[in-house]
Amino acid sequence: MMILANALTLFRVAAIGLFWYAMPVHTYAALAIVLAAALSDALDGWIARRYHAVSRTGAFLDRCADKIFYIGALWVLRADISIGLLIMAALPEAILFLMAIASYLGWSRMRLSASVVGKWKMRVHFSAIILLTLGYAIAGQSILSIGFILVWVGYLLSCESIILYLDSLDEKTASATPSR
């Protein structure tokens, strides 16, 4: 089952290429790809936990696939999103991606475990991409507006995730430092 969970995780990375290909012309197919990616994000962890196939590598891949999908989807949608919004929305996710790599490789004492904020952040990210894609498909300005608002909410949640991770690093460093 670990192979299935990891395959679902890696599907999100491959889905970006499919999304990029489908988005300009086949917006409903692009929407289906985003929905499938969101479903894979929900299922991969559930399968791993359900069948006791949780691994450090799988958790790392899941975290990275989420960030790659979100940043990639924003990049695909960049023709309709201002470049400033794209950079602002993607920057905290890029920082979290680098923090995840550093943690996985042992370059920092940070243990990046899933948090409630992180789980909500990804729900908001997927919802934003779904609404932006749907808004382009049906030319719905109100749907696009809600999608843009969710991009900003995701940005704030990403910043909060960074703060939580840095706080956990401070706590671990303080507890590991011998007192005089």
Side-chain angles (χ1 to χ4, degrees):
M1 282 299 153
M2 185 185 322
I3 292 171
L4 176 60
N6 288 341
L8 286 170
T9 299
L10 294 175
F11 165 75
R12 285 195 302 285
V13 176
I16 274 303
L18 298 172
F19 182 70
W20 174 78
Y21 178 77
M23 188 55 198
V25 179
H26 308 287
T27 51
Y28 288 110
L31 181 61
I33 291 164
V34 175
L35 291 170
L39 182 62
S40 78
D41 187 37
L43 286 177
D44 61 357
W46 180 83
I47 289 171
R49 286 185 300 277
R50 170 78 170 84
Y51 294 100
H52 308 289
V54 175
S55 70
R56 183 171 175 245
T57 301
F60 170 72
L61 289 174
D62 181 56
R63 188 170 293 112
C64 292
D66 289 344
K67 282 143 194 47
I68 290 167
F69 185 85
Y70 182 65
I71 293 170
L74 285 177
W75 182 253
V76 169
L77 295 168
R78 77 190 180 285
D80 297 298
I81 296 177
S82 74
I83 196 69
L85 176 62
L86 171 68
I87 292 168
M88 286 297 294
L91 186 62
E93 284 305 302
I95 291 168
L96 287 167
F97 182 71
L98 295 173
M99 291 168 78
I101 291 171
S103 173
Y104 183 76
L105 296 177
W107 295 342
S108 79
R109 292 183 208 147
M110 195 177 319
R111 174 87 169 109
L112 297 179
S113 56
S115 69
V116 173
V117 171
K119 292 195 180 294
W120 276 104
K121 174 186 57 108
M122 283 317 301
R123 290 176 185 138
V124 168
H125 285 331
F126 274 113
S127 298
I129 299 301
I130 288 167
L131 289 175
L132 290 172
T133 306
L134 181 62
Y136 298 131
I138 64 171
Q141 191 57 42
S142 60
I143 293 173
L144 285 172
S145 296
I146 295 169
F148 285 127
I149 290 168
L150 287 179
V151 167
W152 283 108
V153 170
Y155 167 79
L156 294 173
L157 290 171
S158 295
C159 291
E160 178 64 19
S161 288
I162 292 171
I163 291 167
L164 289 173
Y165 289 144
L166 291 175
D167 282 348
S168 74
L169 179 62
D170 285 345
E171 290 170 9
K172 290 177 185 169
T173 303
S175 65
T177 305
S179 57
R180 292 181 185 198

